[in-house]
Every structure is written in C-alpha cells, then in structure tokens.
Amino acid sequence: MIPGTAGQQATARLRQYAGQIGKLRVGEEGDPRVTIAIDGVDIKPILDGARNYDTQGARKAMLRELLFRALGFERH
C-alpha cells in the first residue's frame, strides 16, 4: 500500500465488489457514498436488539476510539 492512498484503494476495491454484488452501490464522488440494499430481511428484531447498545455514552466512546485510532494513539 502506498501511504496516503488508502481511501482510493478502498474505493477501488468496493467498486470491484459492486461489480460482483448487485446490491452494493458506490457513488461517483471523490469521497463516494456506499449503500447496500437489504431486501427481504426483517431488520426490526436486529434494531430492537441493538437499541440497548445505542446510547449517548456508547457513541462517545466509539467516537473517542475512532479519533484515537485515526491519530495513531493506542488506548490502554
């Protein structure tokens, strides 16, 4: 991998997958939107089961973790 090209490489890989998986769509923007069509799957039980984990505290912790990771810091 060439430093600084991770986003471009990920986009290229997603476009390859989209060619094989009809339900995966990748936009044409520089920072493309990626969507997955979920047909025939009842997602209500999945969302209901995740409701207890989707809290403000959990969101803050995830954001903090992503930020630390993006900056190259390890959390202990």
Side-chain angles (χ1 to χ4, degrees):
M1 188 183 313
I2 300 170
T5 64
Q8 294 167 338
Q9 291 179 5
T11 300
R13 188 168 292 176
L14 284 169
R15 286 201 170 104
Q16 287 176 343
Y17 292 147
Q20 300 167 7
I21 304 168
K23 302 293 182 180
L24 178 65
R25 306 244 188 316
V26 182
E28 297 298 322
E29 310 86 7
D31 184 11
R33 177 179 296 211
V34 178
T35 57
I36 300 173
I38 302 175
D39 296 330
V41 175
D42 184 10
I43 62 169
K44 187 176 181 338
I46 297 169
L47 295 176
D48 289 343
R51 194 171 320 267
N52 293 334
Y53 300 99
D54 185 23
T55 64
Q56 186 174 3
R59 289 179 189 177
K60 285 181 180 179
M62 178 57 72
L63 182 58
R64 191 176 308 118
E65 180 65 31
L66 292 170
L67 179 62
F68 272 82
R69 225 183 288 161
L71 295 173
F73 295 112
E74 287 186 35
R75 292 196 59 209
H76 300 282

